[in-house]
């Protein structure tokens, strides 16, 4: 072990190439992870902010929020389900907005107007009055400030921004949180066919006990007319979320595999170079375990240094990327996870050299 | 002269450093059995220096490897420093080599990125340093001084001459205070003048410590420094 660390210290040049390649892989891994987190954050914020256990859609909507319609009578049935403590309606309208001071602008802002009853995190329990909304803070990247008025849709229905809230985007769009009444009024004006006076699109439900049980109780109480999902299931059901997650995780998996191959090849070469030295060390009493532990220690140190460099570069990227340009969110947990994946890959990569170390015959040191 | 009482701890003046009885070593090459060593008997007294000579392929390397616990015999009995190592497992042989025998190899195989002093300490470190680190360092310094290398203790092998490197290798072989040291062609990489110096040093060091040695060699001049010369040919020991 000490021998391996001494070699790293005294012959750093030998390990520079492997460290550099692994550092590039590390930064790629962290960048990909940051993109995934950024994309997911921008798609799921409105749901993650919900302080609820269950989200219910009409069964015929097949887990699609825009298609779902829940009339008053079904809502009443759901509210009576065992363990349910609170039910709130949710209505959404995806709509392009333009600032009222630049109504001719060609750059429309993609927004989603969300009417709520049960307040998500960061929002007042009493929704803002008719015609007012609290906007997701990401909208400031488009130059919109608190106090501004936005004109929604082709009908240019005005809503005033009376506050900002963080991390509540939905499907990549800035959310505008208002009352159900605001949502109904705007929908009535822009898409008269879609508006129903008493219906909502979804129910957010608070309940006692496990969310899974609460979900099945709501479904039973409504005789299957509602499909109730736990909050996590509902997040996964947001269009694109599970696809984004699986696509990025596959790319991340391949990248980790590349790191594993780099470590495996590098240390396989190093081990081949050391065969006569290992023979001598075995002859003077080193066990295969001690020698292999040295290889693992070197791989772990090289990878840890590379991961640290990668994390530094990823942090620089985070600073360099202008807010709102691409969805990139770098978190400490993502950096730690990426480093941990690389370390596991490096240890597994070393394992390919184990057989070679085991096969070194100490008797070969004599008569060589 | 009394024997060493090193980490092996079982060498006494009456016990020979090595006793091989009817040792046979065969290898399977395809369907054929190749005999590398045939019923070899060899006893080396506790402070004896034996020169082992023979042509290439005669089996002297095999004999040396079996005596040094690098190989297990196919048949026969091997007792080193009073311990019967014939039936030792690979793990036990590794441990035995670390604590009870010393090796000096043909090509000077020092660890290139360690200083002379660290090359001596490597034996101690490889064993997970069960002993006293301070004592090991003191022993390394003492050996380097005895071998005339005090001022070279901090030098890497690349900064040492061939003779100095060979002396470091001898120091490494003596670190565990072995009862038996095996030298594999110790002068083959040195010119005749240096070679003779190194052999004289080997003899002086072994005799001063009362340590037994087997020196495998082609070099006729070396045999003059040995107490006894054993010849080996076609796997048969004649001495």
């Amino acid at each position: 072990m000490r021998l391996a660390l001494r070699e790293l210290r005294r012959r750093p040049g030998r390990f520079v190439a492997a460290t550099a390649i692994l550092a590039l892989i590390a930064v790629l891994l962290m960048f990909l992870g940051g993109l995934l987190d950024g994309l997911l954050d921008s798609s799921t914020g409105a749901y993650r902010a919900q302080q609820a256990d269950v989200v219910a859609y009409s069964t015929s909507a097949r887990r699609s929020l825009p298609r779902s319609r829940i009339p008053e009578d079904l809502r009443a049935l759901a509210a009576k389900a065992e363990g349910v403590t609170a039910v709130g309606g949710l209505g959404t309208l995806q709509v392009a907005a333009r600032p009222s001071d630049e109504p001719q602008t060609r750059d429309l802002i993609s927004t989603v107007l969300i009417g709520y009853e049960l307040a998500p995190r960061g929002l007042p329990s009493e929704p803002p009055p008719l015609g007012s909304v609290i906007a997701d803070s990401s909208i400031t990247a488009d130059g919109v400030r608190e106090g501004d008025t936005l004109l929604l849709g082709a009908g240019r229905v005005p809503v005033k921004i009376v506050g900002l809230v963080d991390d509540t985007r939905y499907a990549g769009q800035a959310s505008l949180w208002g009352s159900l009444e605001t949502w109904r009024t705007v929908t009535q004006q822009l898409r008269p066919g879609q508006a129903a006076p008493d219906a909502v699109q979804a129910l957010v439900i608070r309940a006692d006990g496990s969310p899974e049980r609460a979900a099945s109780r709501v479904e039973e109480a409504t005789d299957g007319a509602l499909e109730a999902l736990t909050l996590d299931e509902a997040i996964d059901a947001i269009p694109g979320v599970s696809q984004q997650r699986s696509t990025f995780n596959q790319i991340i998996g391949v990248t980790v595999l590349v790191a594993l191959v780099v470590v495996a090849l590098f240390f396989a070469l190093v081990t081949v170079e050391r065969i006569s030295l290992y023979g001598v060390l075995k002859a003077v009493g080193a066990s295969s375990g001690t020698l292999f532990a040295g290889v693992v220690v070197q791989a772990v140190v090289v990878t840890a240094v590379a991961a640290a460099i990668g994390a530094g570069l990823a942090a620089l990227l985070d600073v360099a990327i202008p807010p709102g340009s691409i969805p990139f969110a770098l978190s400490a947990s993502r950096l730690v996870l990426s480093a941990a994946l690389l370390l596991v890959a490096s240890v597994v990569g070393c394992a390919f050299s184990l057989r070679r170390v085991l096969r070194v015959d100490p008797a070969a040191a004599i008569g060589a | 002269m009394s024997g060493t009482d090193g980490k092996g701890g079982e060498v006494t003046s009456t016990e020979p450093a090595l006793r091989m009885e009817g040792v046979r070593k065969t290898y399977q090459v395809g369907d054929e059995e190749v005999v590398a060593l045939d019923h070899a008997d060899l006893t080396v007294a506790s402070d004896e220096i034996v020169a082992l000579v023979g042509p290439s392929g005669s089996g002297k390397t095999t004999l040396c490897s079996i005596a040094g616990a690098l190989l297990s015999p196919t048949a026969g009995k091997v007792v080193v420093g009073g311990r019967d190592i014939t039936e030792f497992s690979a793990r036990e042989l590794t441990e035995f080599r670390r604590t009870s025998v010393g090796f000096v190899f043909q090509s000077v195989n020092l660890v290139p990125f360690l200083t002379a002093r660290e090359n001596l300490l490597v034996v101690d470190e490889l064993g997970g340093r069960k002993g006293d680190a301070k004592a090991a360092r003191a022993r390394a310094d003492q050996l380097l001084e005895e071998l005339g290398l005090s001022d070279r203790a901090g030098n890497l092998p690349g900064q040492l001459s061939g003779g100095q490197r060979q002396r470091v290798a001898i120091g490494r072989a003596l670190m565990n205070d072995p009862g038996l040291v095996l030298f594999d062609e110790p002068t083959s990489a040195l010119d005749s003048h240096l070679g003779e110096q190194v052999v004289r040093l080997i003899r002086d060091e072994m005799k001063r410590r009362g340590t037994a040695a087997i020196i495998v060699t082609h070099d006729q001049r070396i045999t003059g420094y040995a107490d006894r010369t054993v010849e080996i040919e076609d796997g048969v020991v004649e001495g």
Side-chain angles (χ1 to χ4, degrees):
Chain A
M1 200 100 47
R2 192 183 266 237
L3 194 65
L5 292 174
R6 275 212 191 105
E7 186 178 16
L8 280 171
R9 223 169 43 233
R10 301 222 174 126
R11 293 174 146 185
R14 238 173 118 79
F15 301 92
V16 163
T19 310
I21 294 168
L22 285 171
L24 289 175
I25 293 175
V27 78
L28 176 62
L29 205 57
M30 289 161 183
F31 184 68
L32 284 169
L35 275 181
L36 171 61
D37 292 342
L39 271 173
L40 292 181
D41 282 358
S42 71
S43 298
T44 63
Y47 275 35
R48 281 184 289 108
Q50 295 296 338
Q51 305 185 74
D53 302 297
V54 170
V55 177
Y57 304 116
S58 58
T59 303
S60 57
R62 293 188 198 154
R63 300 186 172 194
S64 162
L65 181 61
R67 278 206 296 269
S68 178
R69 286 283 175 284
I70 302 178
E72 191 61 41
D73 54 336
L74 274 181
R75 174 187 175 139
L77 285 176
K80 284 184 197 146
E82 193 187 338
V84 169
T85 56
V87 173
L90 205 64
T92 66
L93 179 71
Q94 301 197 30
V95 63
R98 62 193 87 210
S100 63
D101 52 354
E102 289 178 78
Q104 301 309 321
T105 180
R106 300 171 69 90
D107 297 327
L108 299 177
I109 306 165
S110 293
T111 63
V112 55
L113 175 67
I114 307 179
Y116 74 93
E117 288 178 315
L118 282 184
R121 156 188 50 77
L123 288 168
S125 54
E126 186 65 35
L130 180 64
S132 301
V133 291
I134 293 171
D136 185 85
S137 55
S138 64
I139 204 164
T140 55
D142 290 301
V144 177
R145 312 247 170 279
E146 189 176 340
D148 288 358
T149 296
L150 292 175
L151 305 176
L152 302 185
R156 300 194 179 181
V157 182
V159 289
K160 185 167 195 239
I161 296 172
V162 295
L164 294 173
V165 60
D166 288 329
D167 191 19
T168 60
R169 280 167 295 170
Y170 176 78
Q173 298 151 332
S175 51
L176 306 170
W177 297 86
S179 63
L180 280 178
E181 195 187 0
T182 302
W183 166 67
R184 283 201 186 101
T185 309
V186 174
T187 307
Q188 179 69 42
Q189 286 175 312
L190 293 177
R191 292 171 207 163
Q194 287 179 24
D198 298 321
V200 292
Q201 284 186 316
L203 298 176
V204 291
I205 297 168
R206 293 178 192 159
D208 297 328
S210 81
E212 288 79 10
R213 279 190 74 181
S216 59
R217 278 174 179 163
V218 167
E219 288 181 354
E220 280 166 29
T222 57
D223 206 12
L226 292 188
E227 182 173 12
L229 307 176
T230 64
L231 201 54
D232 289 340
E233 288 169 344
I235 288 170
D236 271 346
I238 294 172
V241 166
S242 60
Q243 291 88 337
Q244 281 168 2
R245 194 176 280 146
S246 70
T247 305
F248 269 85
N249 282 340
Q250 281 170 38
I251 301 174
I252 286 169
V254 171
T255 310
V256 171
L257 204 67
V258 171
L260 189 153
V261 171
V262 167
V263 172
L265 286 177
F266 178 74
F267 282 97
L269 277 175
V270 166
T271 307
V272 168
E273 277 178 19
R274 289 175 183 161
I275 280 187
S276 70
L277 179 62
Y278 281 167
V280 170
L281 292 176
K282 278 193 177 184
V284 301
S287 66
S288 293
T290 307
L291 297 178
F292 182 64
V295 177
V296 174
V297 162
Q298 288 187 336
V300 165
V301 171
V302 164
T303 309
V305 170
I309 296 170
L313 292 174
L316 282 179
L317 266 178
D318 193 30
V319 173
I321 293 171
S325 60
I326 55 169
F328 181 71
L330 197 62
S331 63
S333 61
R334 174 58 68 179
L335 295 181
V336 170
L337 176 70
S338 304
L341 282 173
L342 283 175
L343 287 173
V344 171
S346 74
V347 173
V348 176
C350 284
F352 290 96
S353 300
L354 176 60
R355 206 165 64 101
R356 202 163 263 134
V357 174
L358 286 175
R359 272 171 45 192
V360 170
D361 183 1
I366 268 197
Chain B
M1 196 174 286
S2 68
T4 59
D5 188 14
K7 287 180 197 166
E10 298 184 28
V11 183
T12 64
S13 56
T14 52
E15 190 71 52
L18 171 71
R19 207 169 74 235
M20 295 171 94
E21 293 169 5
V23 170
R24 183 177 164 84
K25 181 73 183 175
T26 59
Y27 295 99
Q28 205 67 33
V29 180
D31 292 337
E32 245 179 281
E33 190 179 62
V34 176
V35 180
L37 205 59
D38 200 11
H39 296 102
D41 294 315
L42 178 66
T43 301
V44 179
S46 62
D47 60 350
E48 193 179 18
I49 297 176
V50 171
L52 185 63
V53 295
S56 291
S58 58
K60 55 186 192 297
T61 296
T62 306
L63 188 147
C64 205
S65 300
I66 291 173
L70 288 165
L71 282 178
S72 292
T74 312
K77 188 175 177 185
V78 184
V79 181
V80 181
R83 289 177 76 186
D84 186 345
I85 63 167
T86 318
E87 302 293 331
F88 270 22
S89 67
R91 186 182 292 264
E92 287 170 320
L93 287 175
T94 301
E95 173 72 18
F96 186 76
R97 288 198 299 274
R98 188 167 62 240
T99 56
S100 307
V101 275
F103 289 98
V104 177
F105 303 104
Q106 186 171 352
S107 45
V108 182
N109 281 304
L110 299 177
V111 182
F113 51 85
L114 297 184
T115 64
R117 190 166 180 259
E118 288 163 351
N119 262 292
L120 263 61
L121 289 166
V122 84
V123 178
D124 186 51
E125 285 171 8
L126 287 172
R129 180 162 272 164
K130 296 189 185 82
D132 180 358
K134 219 170 168 183
R137 282 200 291 273
R139 176 160 177 78
D141 287 338
Q142 188 202 335
L143 277 169
L144 286 170
E145 196 187 330
E146 287 170 15
L147 294 164
L149 289 167
S150 287
D151 55 338
R152 292 274 180 245
N155 288 44
L156 295 171
Q159 299 164 321
L160 300 174
S161 70
Q164 286 169 334
R165 284 202 289 267
Q166 194 59 292
R167 277 188 275 161
V168 175
I170 293 169
R172 179 174 69 184
L174 294 172
M175 258 310 273
N176 56 3
D177 202 4
L180 174 67
V181 183
L182 298 149
F183 293 87
D184 180 29
E185 311 252 7
T187 57
S188 66
L190 305 174
D191 64 39
S192 57
H193 176 65
L194 258 179
E196 201 160 331
Q197 260 187 8
V198 166
V199 178
R200 201 176 302 133
L201 179 77
I202 291 172
R203 183 187 165 84
D204 292 349
E205 285 297 320
M206 297 301 115
K207 286 297 171 192
R208 200 158 59 78
R209 286 161 206 283
T211 303
I214 297 177
I215 307 175
V216 174
T217 186
H218 281 110
D219 193 341
Q220 289 300 320
R221 284 163 307 167
I222 288 186
T223 54
Y225 287 94
D227 297 323
R228 180 156 64 101
T229 299
V230 173
E231 287 185 37
I232 183 166
E233 197 161 348
D234 292 335
V236 179
V237 176
E238 299 156 4

